[in-house]
Amino acid sequence: MELSSSEVWFAAGSQQLYGEAALGQVERNCREIVAGLNAGGRLPVRVVLKPVLTTADAILQVCREANADRRCLGLAAWMHTFSPGKMWIAGLAALDKPLAHLHTQFNRDLPWDAIDMDFMNLHQAAHGDREFGYICTRMRKARKVIVGHWQEEEVQRELAVWQRAAAGLHELRSLRVARLGDNMRQVAVTEGDKVEAQIRLGVEVNGYGVHELVREMEAVSDADVERLTAEYDALYAMAPALRSGGPRRESLRDAARTELGLRAFLRNGSFRAFTDCFESLEGLRQLPGIAVQRLMADGYGFGPEGDWKTAALVRALKVMAAGLPGGNSFMEDYTYHLEPGCEKVLGAHMLEVCPTLTAERPSCEIHPLGIGGKDDPVRLVFAAAAGPAVNVAMLDLGDRFRLLVNEVDVLESKHAMPKLPVARALWTPRPDFKTAAAAWIYAGGPHHTAFSQALTSEHLLDFAEMAGIECLPIGSQTRIEDFKNQLRWNQAYYSGFAAAGGA
């Protein structure tokens, strides 16, 4: 999940009208800006300066090179002077990487006593960026416009958010998701068009029999199993029954063998996300619990019951959040506390919540599951750390994918819940429980989500813009009638304008 090997290319536009001396100054200014951005410590991805672009051929070449370079996440464009928009048509038409339009200028302040027309001609981004903005709009080119002086903290913060969103899209475009078993029977929302997902997002989703996992598990040595169970002993507060010599120690060994087999299966298939389903467990003694939790902690995406959309989304969020404090996990809105004025959501699942969400030492426990018809599964039990977070879901509406983002505030529970044998998070959704729940349901939001303490709704809005998918945020300003109107407008947009070729 490291972003250090990725790049964002800095593409500055000008033209040959100004002469070599002026263009030399443009290049020096760009070099200083790029060096300053990289030295500022706020950007997760290195900015790479490209030669000043003064012709249509040069613009097309750099856009094609960006498309072909695996390290390049996208372009940050800036018109230092005035770059005629028609020069950008071929390049923008060819560009399939994300685009940020940095509307800035080299100098922060005007040199009041010395300003002359030479200065005006050289520093006219106020002029040139409007020409670039027009051609992007005319071509319906999705981009993020970032306004302000390049040294400002807020400008660099917005650029950093865009870089992380670009990293998430970059990950999806090469992501392989393995479905172990199929979708939970009769469930609608976890289904979806896998072909359209690959066309739109690049995600490749394929199904595999559980026997292929079992084959990898059978190849695991007893010595490797013992080494992993010793690691469990060192890392987690082990339930007495699972300790060495305890009556359920063999279940811990089974769980370790499952983890090692899963790691081998995913590694050998170059998968970075996967699903399973409690209805497809032939050959397994228990439903994977601690194995899935630990794989998520290492960066894998996961969705239960065949939910490949959530698995892909969890992986994308983990890449986007690389290096940030706070965890990212699969999550589910499970049950409610409906005390008037103090409503809360208890998020959990049968087993699979990622331990990156907690700062406490997880407890390793074994309890009955009640469904699946298998042995009691081993799992990590903990409470998520308090603080702001987002719940994100992707659903397939048939004619488009929709991304839902609800801002929430995770709470420290005043109650221990000693009989609840799963990892969990307790939160209040923004703007309030009734509004958030109603908006989510009006939008067709699923019960499975990707949950992030590290990212914000801005990251996801940028991501959706790049990916060309609908995004509906639910936050402190959400009002139900406004939200319902947005749903109506979006339906008209996607069935009309977009269907006619709009972006």
Side-chain angles (χ1 to χ4, degrees):
M1 297 187 295
E2 289 294 326
L3 302 180
S4 57
S5 61
S6 299
E7 300 173 353
V8 164
W9 291 2
F10 191 87
S14 187
Q15 59 178 309
Q16 294 172 335
L17 174 68
Y18 302 107
E20 292 303 317
L23 290 175
Q25 187 61 51
V26 168
E27 185 172 353
R28 289 189 292 275
N29 291 350
C30 291
R31 191 178 300 119
E32 184 173 337
I33 289 175
V34 168
L37 291 174
N38 286 329
R42 299 188 180 97
L43 302 184
V45 176
R46 185 169 63 99
V47 181
V48 174
L49 178 63
K50 293 296 167 177
V52 177
L53 302 173
T54 60
T55 67
D57 286 344
I59 293 168
L60 177 58
Q61 180 179 345
V62 79
C63 290
R64 285 175 171 170
E65 290 174 353
N67 291 342
D69 196 316
R70 283 282 303 157
R71 297 167 299 176
C72 179
L73 301 182
L75 291 186
W78 171 50
M79 306 304 110
H80 188 301
T81 55
F82 186 80
S83 182
K86 289 169 70 174
M87 294 197 313
W88 286 85
I89 292 174
L92 290 175
L95 182 67
D96 69 359
K97 294 283 180 79
L99 176 66
H101 182 186
L102 183 58
H103 183 45
T104 190
Q105 63 185 26
F106 176 70
N107 56 295
R108 192 195 72 171
D109 302 330
L110 287 174
W112 304 104
D113 295 331
I115 189 168
D116 55 17
M117 283 309 299
D118 287 338
F119 182 93
M120 297 277 278
N121 285 332
L122 186 64
H123 301 279
Q124 54 173 314
H127 184 189
D129 278 335
R130 281 165 170 76
E131 172 77 355
F132 184 72
Y134 166 76
I135 202 63
C136 288
T137 297
R138 176 69 183 270
M139 296 178 68
R140 297 176 181 143
K141 191 70 178 177
R143 76 277 192 194
K144 179 172 186 174
V145 179
I146 302 172
V147 179
H149 191 254
W150 57 273
Q151 291 178 319
E152 288 179 19
E153 180 178 350
E154 175 61 17
V155 167
Q156 295 186 19
R157 187 200 66 80
E158 290 184 46
L159 182 58
V161 167
W162 175 84
Q163 286 184 340
R164 290 186 177 278
L169 180 61
H170 187 77
E171 173 65 19
L172 287 189
R173 286 180 169 179
S174 64
L175 181 63
R176 300 188 69 207
V177 181
R179 299 179 79 210
L180 291 162
D182 202 354
N183 198 64
M184 181 178 172
R185 300 177 193 117
Q186 307 298 326
V187 176
V189 75
T190 50
E191 291 280 15
D193 189 335
K194 296 187 284 293
V195 174
E196 185 62 23
Q198 191 163 355
I199 293 170
R200 171 67 66 180
L201 300 172
V203 179
E204 178 186 344
V205 184
N206 289 303
Y208 298 85
V210 178
H211 69 277
E212 298 191 52
L213 168 59
V214 173
R215 186 183 305 127
E216 296 289 354
M217 293 168 56
E218 290 173 345
V220 174
S221 70
D222 291 342
D224 286 340
V225 169
E226 290 304 319
R227 276 190 289 269
L228 186 54
T229 53
E231 182 178 324
Y232 293 167
D233 289 333
L235 290 176
Y236 311 121
M238 193 64 62
L242 294 173
R243 294 173 187 165
S244 180
R248 307 303 300 275
R249 185 69 173 186
E250 190 60 32
S251 294
L252 189 69
R253 293 190 184 95
D254 289 339
R257 188 176 299 276
T258 301
E259 178 182 336
L260 292 167
L262 255 175
R263 287 186 183 276
F265 173 80
L266 297 171
R267 181 176 60 252
N268 294 339
S270 298
F271 304 114
R272 296 189 297 276
F274 68 102
T275 73
D276 64 17
C277 181
F278 67 89
E279 291 176 324
S280 300
L281 296 176
E282 186 175 355
L284 299 182
R285 293 185 178 180
Q286 56 181 275
L287 180 64
I290 188 174
V292 171
Q293 292 176 293
R294 284 170 50 86
L295 283 162
M296 270 196 291
D298 285 345
Y300 285 94
F302 173 76
E305 293 120 38
D307 190 350
W308 54 269
K309 297 187 297 297
T310 298
L313 195 56
V314 170
R315 171 62 186 174
L317 264 59
K318 284 185 174 289
V319 171
M320 290 163 65
L324 292 177
N328 302 273
S329 177
F330 158 75
M331 185 60 71
E332 177 175 284
D333 291 48
Y334 219 103
T335 190
Y336 297 141
H337 175 73
L338 293 180
E339 177 186 355
C342 297
E343 295 91 347
K344 299 174 181 65
V345 178
L346 183 61
H349 201 248
M350 296 182 295
L351 303 169
E352 313 96 342
V353 173
C354 181
T356 59
L357 297 185
T358 186
E360 68 185 43
R361 188 186 187 199
S363 173
C364 186
E365 303 178 12
I366 183 168
H367 302 277
L369 184 59
I371 59 176
K374 294 290 180 176
D375 292 351
D376 300 342
V378 177
R379 80 289 303 270
L380 299 177
V381 178
F382 55 85
V390 288
N391 248 333
V392 190
M394 184 161 59
L395 54 146
D396 186 350
L397 293 175
D399 60 346
R400 66 191 186 275
F401 290 105
R402 169 178 287 168
L403 204 67
L404 276 176
V405 184
N406 188 196
E407 299 173 345
V408 305
D409 293 289
V410 182
L411 309 170
E412 289 186 9
S413 177
K414 299 178 180 178
H415 306 279
M417 294 180 278
K419 295 184 178 181
L420 184 62
V422 292
R424 62 265 189 178
L426 184 70
W427 68 78
T428 57
R430 301 180 192 173
D432 57 73
F433 171 77
K434 288 190 176 183
T435 302
W440 193 272
I441 291 171
Y442 276 123
H447 53 291
H448 292 164
T449 63
F451 184 87
S452 178
Q453 300 165 322
L455 301 173
T456 67
S457 56
E458 185 180 355
H459 292 93
L460 281 306
L461 286 164
D462 283 358
F463 168 81
E465 181 79 20
M466 296 171 185
I469 59 177
E470 180 187 16
C471 186
L472 294 169
I474 303 171
S476 58
Q477 302 302 313
T478 299
R479 301 293 179 267
I480 284 297
E481 289 310 312
D482 294 339
F483 190 83
K484 290 168 69 176
N485 280 334
Q486 188 177 0
L487 292 173
R488 297 183 185 106
W489 300 331
N490 285 10
Q491 183 61 42
Y493 170 86
Y494 281 99
S495 61
F497 174 68

